[in-house]
Amino acid sequence: MAVIQWVKLCRPKVKAQVQVHGISQCKQPQRNYFASVVRLCENKELQKKYKNTVLLPVTTFPLHIEGHRRVENERYVQKAAEFSSLYAWQRQQSRDLEYVLHDGPPYANGQPHIGHAVNKILKDITLRHKLLRGYKIHYVPGWDCHGLPIELKATEKEKKTKGKKKLPTKDPLAVRATAKSFAEAAILTQKLAFERWGVMADWNNVYRTFDPEYVYKQLHLFADLYEKGYIYQSYKPVYFSPSSRTSLAEAELEYVPDHCSPSLYVALLASNLPSAIQEILNENGNPNVYLAIWTTTPWTLPANEAICFSVDEQYSLIRLTVNQQTVYVIWAKELLKELQQFASDLTELCCIKGSLLADVTYRHPLSERQCRCLPGEHVTVTKGTGLVHTAPAHGHEDFLVALQHKILVECKINQQGCYEADFGQELEGKNVLIDANEAVTELLSKPDGHGGPSIILNQGTFIHSYPYDWRTKKPVIIRASKQWFIDTDELKDKALEALKEVQIYPTDIQSGMEGMLKRRPYWCISRQRIWGCPIPVFYDATSDEPVTSREIIEHIVNLMKEKGADIWWELSEEELLPPTLVKQYQVEGKKLPRKGSDILDIWFDSGSSWYSVLGSPSADLYLEGIDQFTGWFQSSLLTSVAITGKAPYRNLYVHGFTLDEEGKKMSKSLGNVVDPHVITDGGKNHQKDPVYGADVLRWWVAGHVTNTSMVKVGKNILDSCSKQVQKVRLTLRFLLSALGDYQPSQHSLPVSALRPVDQYMLHLLHNHTEKVWENYNQFYYHKIVSSSVAFINSDVSSFYINLVRDRLYCESRWSPKRISALVVLQNLLNHLLFTLGPILPHLAEEITLHHPVKKGSRVFHQQTSGAPNAWKQPHLASIVEECLNIKKEIYHQHPDMNPFSMELHITAGGKSLNSLKVMQTSEDSQDSGLCELMQAARVVLLEDANEGFSFQICVPENSKCLRCRKVTARPKEDLCIRCQDVISSGW
């Protein structure tokens, strides 16, 4: 008896019944089937004979490449596919569209790191995509070569080579020569790494900010800005780094969240008090009253010029006990909780509005002179006393208060961060970041000293965020000095307006740039160093007023063209000034003005690159890290808007920073730094640091960097990327090998003549490629990686390749059925090379090097407009997907059914029948598209009046064909009819 199993399937208005024949107590047909299986096992030699008639895939393309062979292979591909000449080649092409990506110059001060890899590979992916889409690319790589980090490293190098003898810093030419050599060596190292990663560029045509032509164009820009009134000199407080001995811009700071500062509450003797307070004092014996201030920078107290209050807040007169002493202080009412933390016996005697403090004066913390109380809009009642110590030389808001009330601003802190003699013998030479706080506190605590009647109410420490020099990693101070500035107040509104025309990606950080621009204070563009572009200004010998003009700058530029960028330090004032001006001074009997010693801020250096390199604000894209919102993005915007009224870019793309696999910041001390060279070429121990190759590095960048502001990288992540790239490689290899000597020009079919499942695969390919190109346009590279993996694994490999193997291997070489599949495979390979090529250029070009027909062609010498619209067939897709749903139901009930080993009887009606009939027009078939789709040896399609379907799986009476392995051969015969015909025709 056969084993009968009844299965109910859910379909509208139908209860489908499935009858399955078992294998126990089989009748004669079943016994014939098992006999044929035994016979197959006994005829291995016969199988080998037929195996030679099968059209198996053949290719020279290697399946796996591991270890150092991967490095050698990628270098070979770069050479054979002429990576180095690709940029020059495309510049010679006649193309209507041009895409300009302006390179934000990396800093030429060390080895290439993982941040370089992220940035350069993202740029290259973008440019290769545009190249394939028919654009001519404009991309000139550059390096930021000036500035303090290089100057310091050059100095350190010089010290090492000369032993303990210091670099002769009085000789600026020696410093500049050493710094230039250091920068050139770093550029060469970084350039080699960028080439190793497959970055497309003309590496012999780059820009460097120390090149004379770059410098003199920058001086032209300075002249333009100066003439328009955007550049001016002024005495202002700026961030100053004693460790670097130069002023800093906001973008050169990094904020340390757990900086520890001293916390000091000081009471300063007040006079000329409001009548409301004076009346209370009369009732209490006229005691002294003090204004209470709080500071975390006691070293600034010697420079105190005022105390600021809020006109709208309430201030209380408080009697309290501190250090066993009764003191009367004025304190903001909202902040009495601060006072309660260290004082006792608090009694509020009266309360007045802040505006009544306008006439109050007080004794300076460390001298006899009287100072004023002044209203200040910046005063808050969130911390401290509500009365703000004001030192105009050491605070931005303090300085504005001084300007408003015409208070003289003087800075008596030198470039080493030490007190000058003006502050007295006790403080002279004290360093404000080392011992000045302690010295000032000691003076305040002496009632008979300079502190006089000042009282220290409380002292301790305060943990808060504090700015550090991002190069030396040491604290900075605010210090007033005469500097050169760009008038950002004048430019902000214009820049914000220009920014409205700029598309920022990712779109969710659009407001970040605007907010940072609105908050930006003045931009200090002068630095007190040597290694940089000189500020082309002279100073009058008598008045010390600046002397510069277009004529002077043009003369300097002409000298630079003739003698190089060092002429500012090589030549005298008489040589640097125009001869006509020199003669004028001599006729008038005046001394020549002296040349200045300041250089331009490196953000002005790099921010003028749109002018020096492009010549106009014409970039389609700036692509840099998120930190450039306060750096290069902003400096480029401000300089461009000032000259042209436009932003220098039409699009901004912002990427994130890299962290280790656990989300920690990379540092040498933690030992978690990921070196891109180790990723591409492997470490000393290949078990620990395997060779992944450049394409795996690029795959990680594309797949991880564009979807988050913090990007993780580590061995587990790279292992996963490597497996994905290998899967891509295997799939492309199969497509390449299956195509063999197929030439579309000789053997092809129109789309309409392809089998339905082949047309469906082209429909899937169309949808995938269109989605990929749209993601490229939106910089969603992570989506390209994820969708490509899904498409290759599911649609291409698991579905289509698995489906058409029989046609590819066993049909006659140029039969319409086989050509139908080859047409699809050829288009799959072509479009996958296009869509994956920007991310995996080495793999893409390696494929063409092994292509039997297209050998010698270049992926990036081609253009693509995407998949043809004729491939998009949603109606056919719904039909095929209906058939696939039926297949899914069948295999869900019988997951162990071997392909092409069973017969399938389907009874269907309505939509199901219509869909199935597209795949099989006859009632009974062994070679229909439905047989292929269902992986059945035979399909019998019967019509039903009801909607839905039912099916029956039967063991066939036929034998397994020794060639195609389908159970479609007549009993006791070696081959099925199809294979007999193929062999007889010479296959």
Side-chain angles (χ1 to χ4, degrees):
M1 294 289 294
V3 178
I4 306 298
Q5 179 182 359
W6 298 94
V7 181
K8 293 183 179 180
L9 298 178
C10 297
R11 278 287 181 273
K13 305 178 183 179
V14 174
K15 291 183 178 179
Q17 296 177 330
V18 182
Q19 185 179 25
V20 182
H21 289 269
I23 58 173
S24 61
Q25 301 180 354
C26 296
K27 295 181 181 179
Q28 187 62 40
Q30 284 78 34
R31 287 199 293 275
N32 289 342
Y33 170 74
F34 290 111
S36 68
V37 172
V38 173
R39 186 165 58 86
L40 282 172
C41 295
E42 293 173 347
N43 290 279
K44 292 182 179 180
E45 293 301 319
L46 198 57
Q47 290 183 50
K48 290 181 179 179
K49 170 187 173 183
Y50 292 127
K51 181 179 180 181
N52 295 330
T53 70
V54 176
L55 300 172
L56 293 175
V58 176
T59 181
T60 58
F61 185 79
L63 191 65
H64 294 277
I65 298 180
E66 302 295 341
H68 280 300
R69 288 184 59 244
R70 182 173 289 181
V71 179
E72 295 166 1
N73 184 64
E74 286 183 338
R75 292 190 183 279
Y76 165 75
V77 170
Q78 287 187 359
K79 184 176 180 180
E82 299 174 323
F83 273 42
S84 62
S85 62
L86 176 59
Y87 183 85
W89 172 86
Q90 61 90 29
R91 290 302 298 171
Q92 296 169 1
Q93 302 306 299
S94 176
R95 297 188 175 187
D96 295 333
L97 300 173
E98 183 172 58
Y99 192 84
V100 180
L101 195 164
H102 184 43
D103 194 31
Y107 207 58
N109 71 329
Q111 295 293 317
H113 52 71
I114 196 70
H116 287 125
V118 167
N119 184 259
K120 291 299 178 184
I121 289 172
L122 283 179
K123 288 175 180 174
D124 192 60
I125 291 171
T126 302
L127 292 176
R128 287 178 181 271
H129 154 240
K130 293 297 182 182
L131 185 61
L132 288 173
R133 298 296 274 179
Y135 287 84
K136 182 185 289 188
I137 303 304
H138 183 284
Y139 172 68
V140 180
W143 274 270
D144 198 353
C145 306
H146 286 146
L148 186 62
I150 292 175
E151 186 174 328
L152 292 177
K153 288 196 174 185
T155 304
E156 291 170 6
K157 181 179 179 182
E158 191 74 13
K159 285 179 182 178
K160 289 179 182 177
T161 58
K162 294 188 176 183
K164 295 182 179 180
K165 195 174 181 180
K166 291 186 177 180
L167 182 72
T169 53
K170 290 184 179 180
D171 181 3
L173 292 174
V175 174
R176 289 176 62 80
T178 307
K180 183 179 180 182
S181 297
F182 183 90
E184 287 175 332
I187 288 171
L188 178 60
T189 302
Q190 292 181 16
K191 186 190 295 186
L192 291 173
F194 301 162
E195 290 182 88
R196 172 69 184 93
W197 303 335
V199 178
M200 174 184 61
D202 180 356
W203 293 108
N204 295 318
N205 180 25
V206 301
Y207 78 89
R208 304 174 299 180
T209 58
F210 63 58
D211 288 330
E213 57 270 26
Y214 188 97
V215 174
Y216 65 65
K217 287 179 181 178
Q218 187 178 344
L219 294 181
H220 276 303
L221 178 63
F222 181 94
D224 291 342
L225 291 167
Y226 185 78
E227 283 187 342
K228 287 176 176 287
Y230 289 117
I231 290 181
Y232 64 97
Q233 189 187 45
S234 182
Y235 190 82
K236 288 184 179 181
V238 295
Y239 288 108
F240 189 88
S241 172
S243 55
S244 298
R245 299 185 185 180
T246 186
S247 56
L248 299 177
E250 179 75 36
E252 296 172 293
L253 306 175
E254 60 182 22
Y255 285 82
V256 175
D258 55 355
H259 177 81
C260 182
S261 293
S263 173
L264 196 65
Y265 287 89
V266 183
L268 304 178
L269 183 61
S271 57
N272 202 28
L273 297 165
S275 58
I277 291 180
Q278 192 59 55
E279 290 173 4
I280 299 295
L281 296 176
N282 292 338
E283 296 173 2
N284 288 270
N286 290 315
N288 288 335
V289 174
Y290 296 84
L291 297 174
I293 61 170
W294 174 65
T295 182
T296 57
T297 55
W299 64 266
T300 63
L301 288 174
N304 175 271
E305 293 293 338
I307 290 177
C308 287
F309 59 86
S310 172
V311 295
D312 297 320
E313 292 298 329
Q314 297 291 315
Y315 289 85
S316 299
L317 175 63
I318 305 295
R319 182 175 61 214
L320 56 90
T321 301
V322 61
N323 298 327
Q324 300 179 345
Q325 179 182 0
T326 300
V327 182
Y328 290 76
V329 298
I330 296 175
W331 199 290
K333 187 176 181 66
E334 284 290 317
L335 289 169
L336 290 180
K337 58 183 181 295
E338 300 280 330
L339 183 57
Q340 292 168 352
Q341 294 179 14
F342 58 82
S344 59
D345 301 329
L346 271 67
T347 303
E348 185 178 8
L349 300 176
C350 72
C351 186
I352 62 170
K353 195 171 182 180
S355 57
L356 295 178
L357 297 175
D359 294 324
V360 174
T361 58
Y362 66 95
R363 183 187 183 277
H364 186 274
L366 293 171
S367 72
E368 297 290 343
R369 64 189 176 90
Q370 290 292 304
C371 302
R372 292 185 290 163
C373 288
L374 300 171
E377 294 181 1
H378 63 289
V379 178
T380 63
V381 288
T382 56
K383 179 71 178 173
T385 71
L387 295 168
V388 177
H389 150 57
T390 302
H394 303 294
H396 300 300
E397 292 92 352
D398 308 42
F399 179 76
L400 295 177
V401 169
L403 285 182
Q404 182 181 354
H405 295 278
K406 298 180 179 174
I407 298 173
L408 179 65
V409 179
E410 293 182 290
C411 179
K412 298 173 182 177
I413 306 293
N414 63 24
Q415 291 194 355
Q416 288 74 38
C418 298
Y419 288 127
E420 295 176 347
D422 301 61
F423 279 142
Q425 188 175 356
E426 295 93 336
L427 295 179
E428 183 181 1
K430 301 290 185 184
N431 188 293
V432 300
L433 293 175
I434 300 175
D435 52 1
N437 286 322
E438 184 179 345
V440 168
T441 303
E442 185 178 347
L443 288 176
L444 287 171
S445 64
K446 294 179 179 180
D448 56 344
H450 293 292
S454 302
I455 300 173
I456 295 178
L457 299 175
N458 183 259
Q459 62 184 107
T461 56
F462 181 64
I463 306 299
H464 62 132
S465 178
Y466 191 86
Y468 276 55
D469 184 332
W470 71 302
R471 300 179 183 96
T472 63
K473 309 302 180 184
K474 293 183 179 180
V476 302
I477 61 174
I478 296 175
R479 173 181 177 268
S481 60
K482 189 173 281 191
Q483 302 285 349
W484 286 92
F485 298 89
I486 284 185
D487 191 349
T488 51
D489 284 338
E490 180 68 21
L491 287 171
K492 277 183 187 178
D493 290 342
K494 296 177 183 177
L496 288 168
E497 191 64 28
L499 206 56
K500 291 179 181 178
E501 303 299 319
V502 177
Q503 178 63 54
I504 300 178
Y505 300 93
T507 54
D508 58 353
I509 61 171
Q510 179 90 26
S511 60
M513 178 79 165
E514 296 174 359
M516 292 178 185
L517 192 57
K518 288 176 182 177
R519 293 190 298 271
R520 178 159 195 157
Y522 38 80
W523 177 11
C524 176
I525 62 169
S526 51
R527 297 292 181 269
Q528 291 69 54
R529 303 300 302 186
I530 297 169
W531 178 231
C533 174
I535 294 181
V537 176
F538 298 81
Y539 296 91
D540 188 87
T542 304
S543 66
D544 209 35
E545 288 298 309
V547 177
T548 191
S549 65
R550 171 75 64 178
E551 181 191 6
I552 291 173
I553 294 174
E554 288 290 352
H555 181 68
I556 294 167
V557 165
N558 290 332
L559 288 172
M560 281 188 176
K561 290 179 180 178
E562 181 184 346
K563 300 182 179 181
D566 286 342
I567 55 109
W568 188 260
W569 291 270
E570 289 175 334
L571 304 181
S572 66
E573 282 83 354
E574 185 174 354
E575 294 169 294
L576 290 170
L577 288 165
T580 55
L581 188 60
V582 172
K583 187 175 181 180
Q584 180 183 334
Y585 272 89
Q586 291 172 343
V587 169
E588 295 176 1
K590 295 180 181 179
K591 288 184 178 179
L592 292 178
R594 62 174 179 83
K595 60 183 175 183
S597 58
D598 289 347
I599 62 170
L600 284 165
D601 168 29
I602 59 168
W603 293 112
F604 188 93
D605 241 19
S606 59
S608 64
S609 61
W610 65 269
Y611 185 94
S612 299
V613 178
L614 302 181
S616 64
S618 57
D620 291 289
L621 179 67
Y622 276 30
L623 189 159
E624 301 298 329
I626 196 169
D627 58 324
Q628 296 308 318
F629 271 152
T630 58
W632 189 57
F633 291 160
Q634 204 173 119
S635 62
S636 300
L637 176 66
L638 291 171
T639 53
S640 179
V641 167
I643 298 300
T644 70
K646 297 194 301 183
Y649 35 70
R650 284 182 276 278
N651 298 277
L652 287 179
Y653 183 80
V654 185
H655 62 76
F657 296 117
T658 51
L659 305 172
D660 74 3
E661 214 152 27
E662 297 178 358
K664 296 178 182 177
K665 187 177 179 180
M666 294 185 196
S667 69
K668 291 182 180 179
S669 60
L670 292 176
N672 64 344
V673 174
V674 178
D675 185 345
H677 176 74
V678 173
I679 293 176
T680 58
D681 291 31
K684 294 180 180 178
N685 182 345
H686 282 190
Q687 291 296 319
K688 179 183 177 184
D689 297 309
V691 178
Y692 292 108
D695 271 2
V696 170
L697 175 63
R698 295 175 67 102
W699 188 260
W700 165 76
V701 169
H704 293 76
V705 171
T706 56
N707 61 338
T708 177
S709 60
M710 295 299 173
V711 191
K712 295 182 180 180
V713 62
K715 189 174 186 304
N716 292 329
I717 294 172
L718 292 168
D719 282 345
S720 175
C721 290
S722 183
K723 290 176 183 176
Q724 289 177 348
V725 173
Q726 180 61 24
K727 176 61 179 177
V728 171
R729 182 184 185 87
L730 294 179
T731 302
L732 295 180
R733 181 182 186 274
F734 177 84
L735 297 176
L736 179 66
S737 61
L739 289 170
D741 57 355
Y742 171 66
Q743 297 198 35
S745 61
Q746 297 179 17
H747 303 94
S748 189
L749 292 170
V751 174
S752 59
L754 302 181
R755 287 166 73 96
V757 73
D758 299 330
Q759 294 185 47
Y760 173 65
M761 188 64 239
L762 289 180
H763 170 81
L764 295 178
L765 178 58
H766 174 277
N767 289 348
H768 171 68
T769 55
E770 291 307 298
K771 182 167 62 175
V772 165
W773 294 126
E774 179 58 29
N775 284 332
Y776 269 118
N777 289 333
Q778 297 295 320
F779 303 96
Y780 293 147
Y781 299 151
H782 62 289
K783 291 185 178 181
I784 296 171
V785 166
S786 59
S787 65
S788 295
V789 168
F791 179 71
I792 288 171
N793 287 346
S794 179
D795 294 337
V796 178
S797 184
S798 297
F799 170 63
Y800 188 71
I801 289 177
N802 188 52
L803 209 62
V804 300
R805 286 183 193 273
D806 174 72
R807 263 195 280 163
L808 293 172
Y809 298 170
C810 298
E811 292 289 342
S812 61
R813 187 181 299 273
W814 304 125
S815 69
K817 289 181 181 180
R818 188 168 185 273
I819 291 176
S820 182
L822 290 173
V823 167
V824 175
L825 295 183
Q826 179 223 5
N827 281 296
L828 276 171
L829 181 61
N830 286 349
H831 284 277
L832 285 174
L833 290 181
F834 287 145
T835 57
L836 292 170
I839 299 173
L840 303 174
H842 298 88
L843 178 58
E845 294 291 12
E846 185 185 1
I847 289 285
T848 64
L849 292 175
H850 289 270
H851 201 296
V853 177
K854 293 186 176 182
K855 188 175 291 184
S857 66
R858 302 284 178 266
V859 173
F860 293 98
H861 284 194
Q862 303 173 58
Q863 298 180 43
T864 176
S865 57
N869 286 330
W871 293 0
K872 190 172 184 178
Q873 300 188 66
H875 178 65
L876 174 64
S878 66
I879 290 172
V880 176
E881 285 162 7
E882 175 70 19
C883 296
L884 288 171
N885 287 333
I886 294 172
K887 177 183 180 181
K888 184 178 179 181
E889 289 284 357
I890 294 171
Y891 277 81
H892 176 71
Q893 297 298 329
H894 302 283
D896 297 330
M897 190 171 74
N898 292 323
F900 300 110
S901 64
M902 294 292 182
E903 291 184 358
L904 183 60
H905 294 240
I906 303 176
T907 303
K911 180 181 178 182
S912 297
L913 179 64
N914 292 334
S915 298
L916 292 167
K917 277 188 172 181
V918 171
M919 306 298 293
Q920 180 170 307
T921 56
S922 62
E923 180 179 304
D924 189 339
S925 179
Q926 290 184 336
D927 63 352
S928 68
L930 191 57
C931 291
E932 181 180 71
L933 190 69
M934 297 296 175
Q935 303 279 280
R938 174 184 172 216
V939 173
V940 178
L941 182 59
L942 302 174
E943 190 169 343
D944 191 2
N946 297 318
E947 186 76 32
F949 72 93
S950 62
F951 65 89
Q952 181 181 1
I953 297 174
C954 305
V955 176
E957 296 180 357
N958 292 325
S959 301
K960 179 177 282 191
C961 174
L962 296 185
R963 181 171 178 270
C964 68
R965 308 298 175 88
K966 290 183 179 181
V967 185
T968 52
R970 286 185 288 230
K972 297 185 180 180
E973 290 191 2
D974 293 338
L975 301 177
C976 65
I977 294 174
R978 188 270 305 267
C979 288
Q980 291 176 21
D981 291 343
V982 170
I983 290 177
S984 64
S985 66
W987 41 277

